[in-house]
Amino acid sequence: METILVHEIAGTAFLTLLGCGVVANALLDKTGGNGGGPLMIFFGWGFAVYGGVWVAFDTGAHLNPAVTLGLLLGPATEYADGIPINAATTTAYVVAEMVGGWLGAIVCYLAYKKQYDEAQDSATILGTFSTGPEIPSFGWNLVTEIIGTFVLIFIIIMFGNTPNELGPLAVALLVVSIGASLGGPTGYAINPARDFGPRVAHAMLPIKNKGHSNWRYAWVPIVGPLIGGSLAALAATVY
C-alpha cells in the first residue's frame, strides 16, 4: 500500500507540475514561452505524461482515476506486478492520484510565483491550473470528455496486447494526439486528478486576481473521464 501511495503521488505530481507548467509558460506574461500556442501545450502535456509514467513505473503508472477504473472494470487481474485489484488498492490509487495532482500544481505555482503576482486575468490564471470549456454547455462538454477519455483508456488497454519497445513514449504520443484532435472544446482533462487536484490548489493558494475556481463546471472533468474510462474498459473486454 505504501508503494502505491508513494509512487502514484510522485508520478501524478510530476505529471501536473510539468503539465500545468507548460500551460503557465504559454499563457502567463513575462515567461520565456509566452504565446507558444496550443501545439506547445499539447506536446508539453504529452511529455509530462511521459515523465510521470517513468516516476510511477513500479505501480503501473496509472496517474489517473479513469485509468484505475478502466483496469478495475477490464480484463486485468492486477494493477501492476504483485498489486492485486481490490477495494484497498483501488482506494490507495485514487487517493494518491488526487493528492499528487494537488501537490504538482502547488509546486508549479511556486515556480511561476512572480508571473502569477503580475497576472491580471482571472480566467487565464485558472486556465493554468484546471480545464474549462470554450463554449460552456455541460451536456456537450461531458460528451467531449467521455469521448477523449474513451480513446485514452481503450488504446492504453490495446497497448497491452501489442508488442512494442516504446514504453511510456507510446502513452505520451497518444496524449499529444488526443490534445491535438479532441482537446479544443474542453481543454481535454481526460483525468479527474489532473483537473480536481489543481483546482483545489487554485482555490487554496493566495494568488492575486485569481477570481473563482469555477466549481460549477468541476464535476464535468471528473464524471466525463470516469464514464469514458468505464465504457472503454467494457468495450475492450468484448473487442
Coordinates of all heavy atoms in Angstrom, one line a residue, residues 12-28 31 45 48 100-117 124-130 194 197-199 201-202 205 207:
T12 N 2.0 11.4 -10.3 CA 1.0 12.4 -10.6 C 1.4 13.8 -10.4 O 1.1 14.7 -11.1 CB -0.3 12.1 -9.9 OG1 -0.6 10.7 -10.0 CG2 -1.5 12.8 -10.5
A13 N 2.3 14.0 -9.3 CA 2.8 15.3 -9.0 C 3.7 15.8 -10.2 O 3.6 17.0 -10.6 CB 3.5 15.3 -7.7
F14 N 4.6 14.9 -10.6 CA 5.4 15.3 -11.8 C 4.6 15.6 -13.0 O 4.8 16.5 -13.8 CB 6.4 14.2 -12.1 CG 7.7 14.3 -11.3 CD1 7.9 13.5 -10.1 CD2 8.7 15.2 -11.6 CE1 9.0 13.6 -9.4 CE2 9.8 15.3 -10.8 CZ 10.0 14.5 -9.7
L15 N 3.5 14.8 -13.2 CA 2.6 15.0 -14.3 C 2.0 16.4 -14.3 O 2.0 17.1 -15.3 CB 1.5 13.9 -14.3 CG 0.3 14.2 -15.2 CD1 0.6 14.0 -16.7 CD2 -0.9 13.2 -14.8
T16 N 1.4 16.8 -13.2 CA 0.8 18.1 -13.1 C 1.7 19.2 -13.0 O 1.5 20.3 -13.5 CB -0.2 18.1 -11.9 OG1 0.4 17.8 -10.7 CG2 -1.4 17.2 -12.2
L17 N 2.9 19.0 -12.4 CA 3.9 20.1 -12.4 C 4.3 20.4 -13.8 O 4.3 21.6 -14.2 CB 5.1 19.6 -11.6 CG 6.4 20.4 -11.7 CD1 6.2 21.9 -11.2 CD2 7.6 19.8 -10.9
L18 N 4.6 19.4 -14.6 CA 5.1 19.7 -16.0 C 3.9 20.1 -16.9 O 4.1 20.9 -17.8 CB 5.8 18.5 -16.5 CG 7.1 18.1 -15.8 CD1 7.6 16.8 -16.4 CD2 8.1 19.2 -15.8
G19 N 2.7 19.5 -16.7 CA 1.6 19.8 -17.5 C 1.1 21.2 -17.2 O 0.9 22.0 -18.2
C20 N 0.8 21.5 -16.0 CA 0.3 22.9 -15.6 C 1.5 23.9 -15.9 O 1.2 25.0 -16.3 CB 0.0 22.9 -14.1 SG -1.5 22.0 -13.7
G21 N 2.7 23.4 -15.8 CA 3.8 24.3 -16.1 C 3.9 24.7 -17.5 O 4.2 25.9 -17.8
V22 N 3.6 23.8 -18.5 CA 3.7 24.2 -19.9 C 2.5 25.2 -20.2 O 2.7 26.1 -21.0 CB 3.6 23.0 -20.8 CG1 2.3 22.3 -20.9 CG2 4.1 23.4 -22.2
V23 N 1.4 25.0 -19.5 CA 0.3 26.0 -19.8 C 0.6 27.3 -19.2 O 0.4 28.4 -19.8 CB -1.0 25.4 -19.2 CG1 -2.2 26.4 -19.4 CG2 -1.4 24.1 -19.7
A24 N 1.2 27.3 -18.0 CA 1.6 28.6 -17.4 C 2.7 29.3 -18.2 O 2.7 30.5 -18.4 CB 2.2 28.4 -16.0
N25 N 3.6 28.5 -18.8 CA 4.7 29.1 -19.6 C 4.1 29.7 -20.9 O 4.6 30.7 -21.4 CB 5.7 28.0 -20.0 CG 7.0 28.5 -20.5 OD1 7.3 29.7 -20.4 ND2 7.7 27.6 -21.1
A26 N 3.1 29.1 -21.4 CA 2.5 29.6 -22.7 C 1.5 30.8 -22.5 O 1.4 31.6 -23.3 CB 1.7 28.4 -23.4
L27 N 0.9 30.8 -21.3 CA -0.2 31.8 -21.1 C 0.2 33.0 -20.3 O -0.3 34.1 -20.5 CB -1.4 31.1 -20.5 CG -2.1 30.0 -21.3 CD1 -3.4 29.6 -20.6 CD2 -2.4 30.5 -22.7
L28 N 1.0 32.8 -19.3 CA 1.3 33.9 -18.4 C 2.3 34.9 -19.0 O 3.2 34.5 -19.8 CB 1.9 33.4 -17.1 CG 1.0 32.5 -16.2 CD1 1.8 32.0 -15.0 CD2 -0.2 33.3 -15.8
T31 N 7.1 35.3 -19.4 CA 7.7 34.0 -19.4 C 8.4 33.7 -20.7 O 8.0 34.3 -21.7 CB 6.7 32.8 -19.2 OG1 5.9 32.6 -20.4 CG2 5.8 33.1 -18.0
W45 N 2.1 18.6 -22.4 CA 1.3 17.7 -21.6 C 1.7 16.2 -22.0 O 1.7 15.4 -21.1 CB -0.2 17.9 -21.9 CG -0.8 18.8 -20.8 CD1 -1.2 20.1 -21.0 CD2 -1.0 18.4 -19.4 NE1 -1.7 20.5 -19.8 CE2 -1.6 19.6 -18.8 CE3 -0.8 17.3 -18.7 CZ2 -1.9 19.6 -17.5 CZ3 -1.1 17.3 -17.3 CH2 -1.7 18.4 -16.7
A48 N 4.8 15.5 -20.3 CA 4.5 15.5 -18.8 C 4.1 14.1 -18.4 O 4.5 13.5 -17.4 CB 3.5 16.5 -18.4
G100 N -1.4 13.8 -5.5 CA -0.3 14.1 -6.5 C -0.7 15.3 -7.4 O 0.1 16.2 -7.6
G101 N -1.9 15.3 -7.9 CA -2.4 16.3 -8.7 C -2.4 17.7 -8.0 O -2.0 18.7 -8.6
W102 N -2.8 17.7 -6.8 CA -2.8 18.9 -6.0 C -1.3 19.4 -5.7 O -1.0 20.5 -5.8 CB -3.5 18.6 -4.7 CG -3.4 19.6 -3.6 CD1 -4.1 20.8 -3.5 CD2 -2.6 19.6 -2.4 NE1 -3.8 21.5 -2.4 CE2 -2.8 20.8 -1.7 CE3 -1.6 18.7 -2.0 CZ2 -2.1 21.0 -0.5 CZ3 -1.0 18.9 -0.8 CH2 -1.2 20.1 -0.1
L103 N -0.5 18.4 -5.3 CA 0.9 18.8 -5.0 C 1.7 19.3 -6.2 O 2.4 20.3 -6.0 CB 1.6 17.5 -4.4 CG 3.1 17.7 -4.0 CD1 3.2 18.7 -2.8 CD2 3.6 16.4 -3.5
G104 N 1.5 18.7 -7.3 CA 2.2 19.2 -8.5 C 1.8 20.6 -8.9 O 2.7 21.4 -9.3
A105 N 0.5 20.9 -8.7 CA 0.1 22.3 -9.1 C 0.6 23.3 -8.1 O 0.9 24.4 -8.5 CB -1.5 22.3 -9.0
I106 N 0.8 22.9 -6.9 CA 1.4 23.9 -5.9 C 2.8 24.2 -6.2 O 3.3 25.3 -6.2 CB 1.2 23.3 -4.5 CG1 -0.2 23.4 -4.0 CG2 2.1 24.1 -3.5 CD1 -0.5 22.8 -2.7
V107 N 3.6 23.1 -6.6 CA 5.0 23.3 -7.0 C 5.1 24.2 -8.2 O 5.9 25.0 -8.4 CB 5.7 22.0 -7.1 CG1 7.1 22.2 -7.6 CG2 5.7 21.2 -5.8
C108 N 4.1 24.0 -9.2 CA 4.1 24.8 -10.4 C 3.9 26.2 -10.0 O 4.5 27.1 -10.6 CB 3.0 24.3 -11.3 SG 2.8 25.2 -12.8
Y109 N 3.0 26.5 -9.1 CA 2.7 27.9 -8.7 C 4.0 28.5 -8.1 O 4.3 29.7 -8.5 CB 1.6 27.9 -7.6 CG 1.6 29.2 -6.9 CD1 1.0 30.4 -7.4 CD2 2.0 29.3 -5.6 CE1 1.0 31.6 -6.7 CE2 2.0 30.5 -4.8 CZ 1.5 31.6 -5.4 OH 1.4 32.8 -4.7
L110 N 4.7 27.8 -7.3 CA 6.0 28.3 -6.8 C 7.0 28.6 -7.9 O 7.7 29.6 -7.8 CB 6.6 27.3 -5.8 CG 5.7 27.0 -4.5 CD1 6.4 25.9 -3.7 CD2 5.5 28.2 -3.7
A111 N 7.0 27.8 -8.9 CA 8.0 28.0 -10.0 C 7.6 29.3 -10.7 O 8.5 30.0 -11.3 CB 8.0 26.8 -11.0
Y112 N 6.4 29.6 -10.8 CA 5.9 30.8 -11.6 C 5.4 31.9 -10.7 O 4.6 32.7 -11.1 CB 4.8 30.4 -12.6 CG 5.4 29.7 -13.8 CD1 5.5 28.3 -13.8 CD2 5.8 30.4 -14.9 CE1 6.0 27.7 -14.9 CE2 6.3 29.8 -16.0 CZ 6.4 28.4 -16.0 OH 6.9 27.8 -17.1
K113 N 5.8 31.9 -9.4 CA 5.3 32.9 -8.4 C 5.3 34.3 -8.9 O 4.3 35.0 -8.8 CB 6.1 32.7 -7.1 CG 5.7 33.8 -6.1 CD 4.3 33.7 -5.5 CE 4.1 34.4 -4.2 NZ 4.4 35.9 -4.4
K114 N 6.4 34.8 -9.5 CA 6.5 36.2 -9.9 C 5.5 36.5 -11.0 O 5.0 37.6 -11.1 CB 7.9 36.5 -10.2 CG 8.9 36.3 -9.1 CD 8.5 37.1 -7.9 CE 8.6 38.6 -8.1 NZ 8.3 39.4 -6.8
Q115 N 5.4 35.5 -11.9 CA 4.4 35.7 -13.1 C 3.0 35.8 -12.6 O 2.2 36.6 -13.1 CB 4.6 34.6 -14.1 CG 5.9 34.8 -15.0 CD 7.2 34.5 -14.3 OE1 7.2 33.7 -13.3 NE2 8.3 35.0 -14.8
Y116 N 2.7 34.9 -11.6 CA 1.3 34.9 -11.1 C 1.1 36.2 -10.3 O -0.1 36.8 -10.4 CB 1.1 33.7 -10.1 CG 0.8 32.4 -10.8 CD1 1.6 31.4 -10.8 CD2 -0.4 32.3 -11.5 CE1 1.3 30.2 -11.4 CE2 -0.7 31.1 -12.2 CZ 0.2 30.1 -12.1 OH -0.2 28.9 -12.8
D117 N 2.1 36.8 -9.7 CA 1.9 38.0 -9.0 C 1.5 39.2 -9.9 O 0.8 40.1 -9.5 CB 3.2 38.4 -8.3 CG 3.5 37.6 -7.0 OD1 2.5 36.9 -6.6 OD2 4.6 37.6 -6.5
T124 N -7.3 33.4 -17.3 CA -6.0 32.9 -17.6 C -5.3 32.2 -16.5 O -4.8 31.1 -16.6 CB -5.1 34.0 -18.1 OG1 -5.7 34.6 -19.3 CG2 -3.7 33.5 -18.5
I125 N -5.4 32.8 -15.3 CA -4.9 32.2 -14.1 C -5.5 30.8 -13.9 O -4.8 29.8 -13.7 CB -5.0 33.1 -12.9 CG1 -4.2 34.4 -13.1 CG2 -4.6 32.4 -11.6 CD1 -4.5 35.4 -12.0
L126 N -6.8 30.7 -13.9 CA -7.4 29.4 -13.6 C -7.1 28.4 -14.7 O -6.9 27.2 -14.5 CB -9.0 29.6 -13.6 CG -9.8 28.3 -13.4 CD1 -9.4 27.6 -12.1 CD2 -11.3 28.6 -13.4
G127 N -6.9 28.9 -16.0 CA -6.6 28.0 -17.1 C -5.2 27.4 -17.0 O -5.0 26.3 -17.6
T128 N -4.4 27.9 -16.2 CA -3.1 27.3 -15.9 C -3.2 26.2 -14.9 O -2.2 25.4 -14.8 CB -2.0 28.3 -15.5 OG1 -2.4 28.8 -14.2 CG2 -1.9 29.5 -16.5
F129 N -4.2 26.1 -14.2 CA -4.4 25.1 -13.2 C -5.4 24.0 -13.7 O -5.0 22.8 -13.6 CB -5.0 25.7 -11.9 CG -4.0 26.4 -11.1 CD1 -3.8 27.8 -11.3 CD2 -3.4 25.8 -10.0 CE1 -2.8 28.5 -10.5 CE2 -2.4 26.5 -9.2 CZ -2.2 27.8 -9.5
S130 N -6.5 24.3 -14.2 CA -7.5 23.3 -14.5 C -8.2 23.7 -15.8 O -7.9 24.7 -16.4 CB -8.6 23.2 -13.4 OG -9.1 24.5 -13.1
R194 N -5.9 15.2 -12.7 CA -5.3 16.4 -13.3 C -6.1 17.6 -13.2 O -5.5 18.7 -13.2 CB -5.1 16.0 -14.8 CG -4.6 17.2 -15.7 CD -5.8 17.9 -16.4 NE -5.4 19.1 -17.1 CZ -5.2 20.3 -16.6 NH1 -5.3 20.5 -15.3 NH2 -4.8 21.3 -17.3
G197 N -7.3 18.1 -8.5 CA -6.2 18.5 -7.6 C -5.7 19.9 -7.9 O -5.6 20.7 -6.9
P198 N -5.4 20.3 -9.1 CA -5.0 21.6 -9.4 C -6.1 22.7 -9.1 O -5.8 23.8 -8.7 CB -4.6 21.6 -10.9 CG -4.2 20.2 -11.1 CD -5.1 19.4 -10.2
R199 N -7.4 22.3 -9.3 CA -8.5 23.2 -9.0 C -8.5 23.5 -7.5 O -8.8 24.6 -7.0 CB -9.8 22.7 -9.5 CG -10.9 23.7 -9.6 CD -12.2 23.1 -10.1 NE -12.1 22.5 -11.4 CZ -12.3 23.2 -12.6 NH1 -12.7 24.5 -12.5 NH2 -12.2 22.6 -13.7
A201 N -5.9 23.3 -5.5 CA -4.7 24.2 -5.3 C -5.0 25.6 -5.6 O -4.7 26.6 -4.9 CB -3.5 23.6 -6.1
H202 N -5.7 25.8 -6.7 CA -6.1 27.2 -7.1 C -6.9 27.9 -6.1 O -6.8 29.0 -5.8 CB -6.8 27.1 -8.5 CG -7.4 28.5 -9.0 ND1 -8.6 28.9 -8.6 CD2 -6.8 29.4 -9.7 CE1 -8.8 30.1 -9.2 NE2 -7.8 30.4 -9.9
L205 N -4.5 28.6 -2.9 CA -3.3 29.4 -2.9 C -3.7 30.9 -2.9 O -4.7 31.3 -3.5 CB -2.6 29.1 -4.2 CG -1.8 27.8 -4.2 CD1 -1.4 27.4 -5.6 CD2 -0.6 27.8 -3.3
I207 N -3.3 33.6 -4.6 CA -2.9 34.2 -5.9 C -3.7 35.5 -6.1 O -4.9 35.5 -6.0 CB -3.2 33.2 -7.1 CG1 -2.6 31.9 -6.8 CG2 -2.7 33.8 -8.4 CD1 -3.0 30.8 -7.8

